[in-house]
Every structure is written in structure tokens, then in C-alpha cells.
Amino acid sequence: MSDRDTFIALVTGLVAVVLIAIATGPFALPVHRILALLLWDRAGGQQATVLFNIRLPRVLAAALVGAALAGAGAAYQSAFRNPLVSPDILGVSAGTGFGASVGILLGLPVMALQLLGFGAGLVTVGLVLGLTAALRGAGQVLTMVLCGMAIGALAGAGTSMVKLLADPDNQLPAITFWLMGSLAGAKRTDVLAALPAIAVGLAPLLLLRWRIGLLSLGDDDARALGIQATRLRALVIACATLVTAAAVALAGVVGWVGLMVPHMARMLVGPRFDRLLPASLLLGAAFMVLVDTAARSIAVMEVPLGILTAVIGAPVFVWLLARGAKPWSD
């Protein structure tokens, strides 16, 4: 299958998954009515209320989060030349989770909670990058990874302290459920709040995807081709971090997507970043929409997204490793 056919299949699959997700739920919403309400029917009514106020915002939020985490994962893996890197490497998820937990403890509204989580994620990355620059270790990438693990662990300890201080009847369940990942309360305003940050983070990655792909050759070869590897890598890290923080602020801590989806995309389109990034965005969006649909359908009570992605991601990732994916760099 050519790359063009592969991308057409991915786009078609994403549209089909979105329609299925919108149609799935306790209130009947057939696909032909969804298309009619989206394209020409402005009659309103109960079906329109369910579609535009409940199902569509949630499905769009899931697609946005999946695309953001998968795109960030592909960017991190290319920047660090390591296929096992994920958006968690710089402690972004842990930092954002800590910020949002503090917001829940303080009883802040949803928008303020997301902003606090987003700000804490950015502060975490700033600490990791600053600590890495201060240490100036021989292996900058390895030093950055280790600093990310240390700051992430510190943020995790802070989250544990917040849970210890939280009201066990109301705040503690809310913090615990949010940390496991959920889109149950996703609204149109939440999607609109997260969209600018994700778009600002993804735009440079998409526009510079051919240059970013050269980082996989190594810094010396990239410089020989006229690429300022250090600056470009810093830009990639900043953009991927911004995207990850916005996604985590919207949906909570959802693991495995940024690690697993780029590997699946790499098996479809190969290791070149200019093709890997768009494929990861489409595949990540479809994957998260399917996971969120399962989360609200397979049981009486909603299952946290983080549990489902871990249950799906761990065996699939082991299968991918056993199957032998294509090389991650040219």
C-alpha cells in the first residue's frame, strides 16, 4: 500500500470511528441523523442537544488528546533518537497532575484547574531543562532523562501529599479519578480552551517535520546538512511539552498513548518523521476515541482512561516488540 493510500485509509478510519463514537450511548442517535444535524438540519430538538452539547464535545476532546499525546511521543522519540521515550520523560504528566490536584484541593473551577495544571507542567519542564543545563553532563540527553525522572518523582510526591490533605469524601475521589484520566466532564469550552495550546505546539512540528527528521541522523550529520541541531531539538522539546501539558490538563494523566501509537504508525509509514508525525496524529486520535467510547460503554460506571490504555497498551507494545518493528531511523 502506498503512503497516499495509507493516509486515505487513516483519515477514513478516523471519520468512521468518530461517527461510531457519537452514535454510541444510551440515547439513540443514528448515523444518518448525526450527518443530517451536522450538515443541513437546523431543526434542533433533543437529538441536536445530545449531539452538540454532550457527544460531539467529548469525542472531539478524545480525538484532540489522542492526537496531541501521539504527536508529542513521535516528536520526543525523534528528538532524543530513542524509540522508548514518551511524553512522560520530562515529568510533564506528573507536574500537570500535581497542579490539577492542587486546584481540586482548593476547590477551583474547571478552567482555573486546567490553567493551574498547564502552568505546573510548564514549570516542571523548566526545572528539568534548567537542571540539565546546570549539570552540563557529558551526555546531555541522558542527563535530561534522569532529571525528568527525578522532577517527575518529586511532582508525584507532591501529588501524594495533596491526596493526604484532601477531604476523603469529596476531594480525594475527584483527585484520584482525574489522575487516572477521564473525559466524563469534557465540554465545548474545555475543548476550545485546550485547542489553542495544542495547535500552537503542533504547528512548528508539522511545518519543520522534514528538518526534525534529520535529527535522527545524529547531531554531526544534521549540522553537516545545515541544521542547527541543538536549537531545533530545544524547539521540538518545548512544542511537544506544551502539547502534552494541554492534553493532560484536559483529560488527566493518560499513559501509553505517546509511547505505543508512534510505534504503530512507524509500522505503517516507516521511520521518516515527515510521514510519521501526520500518521501518529491520525492514529492517536482514532485510538483515543475508541478507548473513550469503550470507557463509557463497557460497564455501568465509567472506566478511567488510564486503566484502559494500560490494559491495551502493555500487551500491544510487547506484541510490537516481539513482531519486530521497522527501524526507527533511516
Side-chain angles (χ1 to χ4, degrees):
M1 183 181 291
S2 66
D3 288 342
R4 179 174 175 274
D5 294 337
T6 300
F7 279 106
I8 291 175
L10 288 175
V11 172
T12 304
L14 175 59
V15 172
V17 166
V18 166
L19 289 175
I20 292 172
I22 294 175
T24 302
F27 184 85
L29 201 55
V31 173
H32 70 276
R33 283 297 300 155
I34 297 172
L35 295 175
L37 290 168
L38 289 175
L39 299 177
W40 66 80
D41 190 348
R42 298 291 183 267
Q46 200 170 14
Q47 289 182 330
T49 301
V50 172
L51 173 62
F52 292 112
N53 294 341
I54 300 175
R55 300 270 178 88
L56 188 58
R58 177 161 184 165
V59 171
L60 290 179
L64 200 60
V65 169
L69 293 177
Y76 279 132
Q77 291 174 9
S78 293
F80 290 110
R81 305 183 65 216
N82 189 328
L84 297 180
V85 171
S86 71
D88 299 331
I89 186 173
L90 295 180
V92 181
S93 299
T96 306
F98 170 68
S101 300
V102 172
I104 296 173
L105 182 67
L106 297 176
L108 299 178
V110 175
M111 184 65 74
L113 187 149
Q114 290 186 355
L115 290 175
L116 189 58
F118 175 68
L122 291 182
V123 169
T124 302
V125 173
L127 288 174
V128 172
L129 297 180
L131 192 57
T132 303
L135 292 175
R136 296 185 180 277
Q140 283 289 308
V141 174
L142 178 60
T143 303
M144 185 179 295
V145 171
L146 295 176
C147 289
M149 294 174 62
I151 298 298
L154 190 62
T159 302
S160 299
M161 178 59 70
V162 170
K163 292 168 71 174
L164 189 64
L165 298 173
D167 175 15
D169 295 326
N170 298 317
Q171 293 174 328
L172 183 58
I175 294 173
T176 302
F177 196 76
W178 188 89
L179 289 174
M180 290 189 291
S182 175
L183 289 168
K187 300 181 179 61
R188 190 185 311 171
T189 53
D190 300 329
V191 177
L192 294 176
L195 185 59
I198 292 177
V200 168
L202 286 180
L205 298 179
L206 286 168
L207 293 174
L208 299 174
R209 60 187 184 277
W210 286 278
R211 290 173 176 265
I212 295 171
L214 296 178
L215 292 177
S216 63
L217 300 175
D219 287 3
D220 292 338
D221 290 338
R223 290 193 189 97
L225 294 171
I227 302 297
Q228 295 183 334
T230 303
R231 291 184 181 180
L232 183 58
R233 181 173 288 107
L235 177 64
V236 172
I237 292 171
C239 292
T241 301
L242 176 63
V243 168
T244 302
V248 173
L250 177 60
V253 182
V254 182
W256 287 98
V257 180
L259 178 63
M260 178 182 59
V261 173
H263 281 273
M264 298 173 69
R266 196 172 287 115
M267 296 178 70
L268 291 175
V269 299
R272 284 182 47 179
F273 189 74
D274 59 316
R275 295 181 300 205
L276 177 64
L277 179 60
S280 296
L281 295 176
L282 293 170
L283 204 56
F287 174 76
M288 187 53 70
V289 171
L290 282 175
V291 169
D292 182 59
T293 305
R296 57 185 169 87
S297 305
I298 60 176
V300 176
M301 64 176 294
E302 186 159 326
V303 180
L305 295 177
I307 294 177
L308 283 182
T309 55
V311 170
I312 298 171
V316 169
F317 189 69
V318 171
W319 174 77
L320 289 173
L321 292 177
R323 188 177 182 275
K326 295 179 181 178
W328 69 279
S329 63
D330 288 325

